[in-house]
Amino acid sequence: MIMSQIVKILSIENLTHDVLRIRTEKPAVIQYNPGQAADISINKSGWEQELRAFTFTSLPEDDFIEFSIKTYPSHHGVTEQLLSLSKGDELIIHDVFGDIGYKGEGLFIAGGAGVTPFIAILKHLEKNHTIGNNKLLFANKSRGDIILEDKFKDILGDHFINILSDEDLDGYEHGFISADLIQKIKDEHTKYYYLCGPEPMMQAVEKQLASLSISNEFIVREGF
């Protein structure tokens, strides 16, 4: 793609108390696959060179670009600035990249905003009627942190499993992702394990997968 394309914001709204969904114009020349991300900056004095990686949550064929972004106001950085933007403001899209892509049926394991690569992938599978036996295990602190809970329920039904560390609610697993929980969820259709979340969480889950004798060739993780 051509580097540094300026796009206007079409809409900006809250998905949760700290996650924004931002839709922008689609540049004439842009290519990405479901699961990939781009470096983004804000077209605002002093912020043009402050690049951050955000995952596309739109599909490549959509006539807009969408990002679902967790904000951290206390960091006083880019995501705090995003909270002050509105329709008509501009973002700058830089390079597209990302290691996560769909390889086949499996278990998607996400922590918090790490679910964003899976949003586009699962939307793509739903659109093509190939959702199959895929499952999503989504770890958060509380129910209020769950991004697109209703959408995932609609796509996956009983194959959408939530685990909450700070709340103990009916219908939700409680605690942290464990090898026992993965063992309980996976079945004969689970070939690949897609992993994205905070680095310590990904490392912990990789150890759990290793304890279940899951080969690295069947683990797809984000590297950026």
Side-chain angles (χ1 to χ4, degrees):
M1 66 171 285
I2 299 170
M3 291 183 63
S4 302
Q5 300 182 87
I6 297 173
V7 294
K8 285 190 183 298
I9 292 175
L10 301 174
S11 65
I12 185 165
E13 61 181 318
N14 276 84
L15 286 179
T16 71
H17 63 99
D18 61 359
V19 174
L20 294 176
R21 175 160 62 194
I22 300 176
R23 289 183 175 174
T24 76
E25 300 170 326
K26 187 175 186 178
V29 182
I30 188 169
Q31 291 184 325
Y32 64 93
N33 297 316
Q36 286 194 301
D39 279 329
I40 305 296
S41 61
I42 302 170
N43 194 23
K44 182 177 173 180
S45 180
W47 292 94
E48 300 95 335
Q49 300 303 317
E50 292 292 326
L51 277 59
R52 300 293 185 273
F54 299 125
T55 308
F56 295 101
T57 52
S58 50
L59 296 178
E61 62 269 25
D62 290 337
D63 60 2
F64 56 87
I65 286 177
E66 178 187 281
F67 300 96
S68 301
I69 300 171
K70 186 169 183 178
T71 59
Y72 300 90
S74 62
H75 293 182
H76 303 301
V78 171
T79 64
E80 182 186 37
Q81 290 296 312
L82 291 175
L83 290 166
S84 68
L85 300 183
S86 56
K87 181 179 178 180
D89 288 330
E90 295 175 337
L91 300 180
I92 308 172
I93 299 180
H94 304 267
D95 288 339
V96 173
F97 55 91
D99 299 326
I100 289 184
Y102 186 66
K103 293 189 173 185
E105 287 188 354
L107 174 60
F108 293 83
I109 303 174
V115 79
T116 53
F118 306 152
I119 293 174
I121 290 172
L122 293 170
K123 281 162 63 173
H124 173 74
L125 294 174
E126 178 194 31
K127 185 174 181 178
N128 290 304
H129 307 291
T130 53
I131 202 71
N133 298 287
N134 285 293
K135 299 182 179 184
L136 171 61
L137 172 57
F138 195 6
N140 286 283
K141 291 182 179 179
S142 67
R143 187 178 180 187
D145 295 318
I146 301 173
I147 300 169
L148 295 178
E149 181 175 12
D150 291 341
K151 177 66 174 175
F152 287 133
K153 279 183 180 175
D154 185 50
I155 295 175
L156 295 164
D158 291 342
H159 286 180
F160 176 40
I161 302 100
N162 288 281
I163 182 165
L164 307 176
S165 62
D166 294 0
E167 289 183 344
D168 193 354
L169 304 175
D170 286 343
Y172 299 79
E173 299 286 342
H174 177 60
F176 297 94
I177 294 173
S178 65
D180 286 344
L181 180 59
I182 294 170
Q183 180 68 34
K184 183 171 81 170
I185 294 169
K186 74 183 186 74
D187 59 27
E188 69 272 16
H189 303 290
T190 308
K191 182 175 182 181
Y192 291 97
Y193 295 81
Y194 301 88
L195 181 57
C196 192
E199 187 62 30
M201 172 244 170
M202 290 200 290
Q203 291 178 5
V205 172
E206 282 182 306
K207 289 178 181 176
Q208 292 156 4
L209 293 174
S211 76
L212 295 172
S213 300
I214 306 300
S215 169
N216 281 336
E217 66 181 302
F218 298 113
I219 299 173
V220 181
R221 80 189 301 279
E222 190 50 80
F224 69 79

